[in-house]
Amino acid sequence: MRQPGWVRVGAGLVPAGALSVPSDAVNDERRSPDLSAPRRIPEATVLRLPIYQRILAELVRAGSRTVSSEQLAELARVNAAKVRKDLSLLGSFGTRGSGYDPEFLIAQIDRALGVDENWSVAMVGIGNLGRALTNSAGFASRGCQVTSLFDVDPAVVGEEIRGMRVRHMDEIASLRAPERPDIGVITTPGWAAQGVADLLVRAGVTSLLNFAPRVLNVPPTVHLRYVDLSIELQVLGFYRVRAEEPGGDGVHAPMMRSVGLSQGPELA
């Protein structure tokens, strides 16, 4: 079975949007001298690709037929050299003096991000957040499909949502290979999150997205990402404080940042 995830980083796959805990798959790729291996895309680049994709989509909707690296850099709040380097890792698409075809570039970024795949998602924790994510069209539009729901609340287990029956969390341990999700999304309270992660990992799930306010321990072969809105509010608070300091009028946060935590080194 293909190792699940959302985007390819070296020999591994990770979902886009928040910071990930580095895996041995990524580290092994850095050490590998095998020239026939896929070109490694740094994680910092992976995190910028969805930003470029959204900007390009807006430009296409506005009728743009070409875009320069300088224009894309200005909108993404990075420098043009970084944009060119990021896109060069996907292939040679631009024409000197003419820029990039935004629609073609979107297709190449979507391919790199795995949007053309069909990743199955298990939602564990069917409270308000779990229900909202299950009913969101965002998953399907980005190459993911919620295929299974799990909870422990007797009032919720057995309920049908979007044609799927909510199953008891204990059933995760007995999932057969055809039922095994590519990605596990944890939307439980913080105290329950580690146990859910352990269940999913034992079931063979190697890509986890954690919304619970808890730092999890997983094997290094598991790609783990966090989404914590309280952290983002704290980051915004930091920039507000800096902006209100004397001489801080020009301080601003990047237009889009990944949401979450990382146990790895600081991203470039």
Side-chain angles (χ1 to χ4, degrees):
M1 179 177 177
R2 181 179 183 179
Q3 183 172 336
W6 288 352
V7 296
R8 184 174 296 280
V9 182
L13 291 165
V14 297
L19 305 184
S20 70
V21 177
S23 72
D24 284 348
V26 176
N27 293 331
D28 287 344
E29 177 67 14
R30 290 172 181 155
R31 296 190 294 265
S32 173
D34 183 6
L35 298 179
S36 65
R39 182 183 299 181
R40 188 183 72 84
I41 300 179
E43 186 174 357
T45 296
V46 172
L47 295 176
R48 286 190 290 268
L49 290 179
I51 300 174
Y52 300 153
Q53 196 274 350
R54 291 189 182 185
I55 293 169
L56 290 165
E58 289 294 330
L59 291 173
V60 168
R61 281 193 285 270
S64 297
R65 296 192 175 185
T66 61
V67 59
S68 67
S69 58
E70 289 77 13
Q71 182 183 8
L72 193 53
E74 181 180 1
L75 293 170
R77 293 183 180 173
V78 298
N79 62 65
K82 184 169 289 185
V83 169
R84 289 191 292 270
K85 182 178 179 181
D86 288 345
L87 298 181
S88 72
L89 294 172
L90 305 182
S92 300
F93 309 127
T95 303
R96 185 179 296 274
S98 300
Y100 300 92
D101 178 336
E103 290 191 81
F104 180 75
L105 201 52
I106 288 172
Q108 299 308 309
I109 292 174
D110 281 352
R111 179 180 57 80
L113 294 175
V115 175
D116 56 348
E117 301 286 349
N118 187 24
W119 309 115
S120 58
V121 175
M123 193 72 61
V124 186
I126 312 302
N128 291 335
L129 178 58
R131 289 173 186 271
L133 293 173
T134 299
N135 288 304
S136 170
F139 279 102
S141 67
R142 307 317 300 163
C144 297
Q145 184 72 39
V146 178
T147 56
S148 53
L149 309 174
F150 298 93
D151 205 290
V152 294
D153 186 346
V156 175
V157 174
E159 184 179 346
E160 189 168 297
I161 303 173
R162 294 183 67 88
M164 294 173 286
R165 181 180 65 85
V166 179
R167 302 158 69 178
H168 195 280
M169 200 179 300
D170 290 345
E171 294 187 41
I172 293 174
S174 59
L175 289 176
R176 296 172 297 175
E179 299 178 290
R180 187 181 304 144
D182 295 316
I183 300 160
V185 178
I186 301 172
T187 56
T188 64
W191 58 265
Q194 184 63 58
V196 171
D198 293 342
L199 277 173
L200 290 166
V201 170
R202 284 198 296 268
V205 179
T206 56
S207 291
L208 301 178
L209 180 62
N210 179 38
F211 283 84
R214 171 79 181 269
V215 177
L216 304 177
N217 293 313
V218 298
T221 51
V222 173
H223 286 107
L224 169 63
R225 305 182 73 81
Y226 296 85
V227 177
D228 190 331
L229 298 182
S230 66
I231 290 175
E232 291 305 295
L233 291 172
Q234 292 175 57
V235 171
L236 289 173
F238 166 81
Y239 282 108
R240 288 296 310 160
V241 169
R242 293 289 297 274
E244 292 172 4
E245 289 176 349
D249 291 343
V251 176
H252 64 270
M255 181 180 66
M256 295 176 64
R257 295 295 294 173
S258 53
V259 181
L261 301 167
S262 176
Q263 296 175 352
E266 193 70 16
L267 295 175

